[in-house]
Amino acid sequence: MPRYEYRCRSCGDTFEVSRPMARSADPATCPAGHEDTVKLLSTVAVGGTASTPAPAPRAGGGGGGGCCGGGCCG
């Protein structure tokens, strides 16, 4: 279940709430009981290693997708 980060405008406390994505826009009450909160924009860090290597380039060049690899750049 996703966690959403909020900040209380009354006391300045920052806290997280776990809830389904369908309820992501619902208001949240801070742990001190204040209702004047704002949802923060959080960044997500993803780490680890790939389990499948990237495909090798095709013989003969030609590109295969992506803007500059597909020839759409001038």
Side-chain angles (χ1 to χ4, degrees), residues 3 5 7-9 14-15 19 24 27 29 31 33 36-37 42 44 47 49 51 54 56 58 60 69-70:
R3 288 190 294 186
E5 190 174 18
R7 188 182 78 241
C8 178
R9 292 180 179 164
T14 301
F15 60 97
R19 57 173 53 157
S24 67
T29 302
D36 188 12
T37 61
S42 301
V44 177
T49 59
S51 59
R58 294 185 293 188

Side-chain angles (χ1 to χ4, degrees), residues 6-31:
Y6 294 84
R7 188 182 78 241
C8 178
R9 292 180 179 164
S10 298
C11 67
D13 190 21
T14 301
F15 60 97
E16 292 182 348
V17 175
S18 294
R19 57 173 53 157
M21 292 176 84
R23 293 188 51 216
S24 67
D26 290 357
T29 302
C30 91

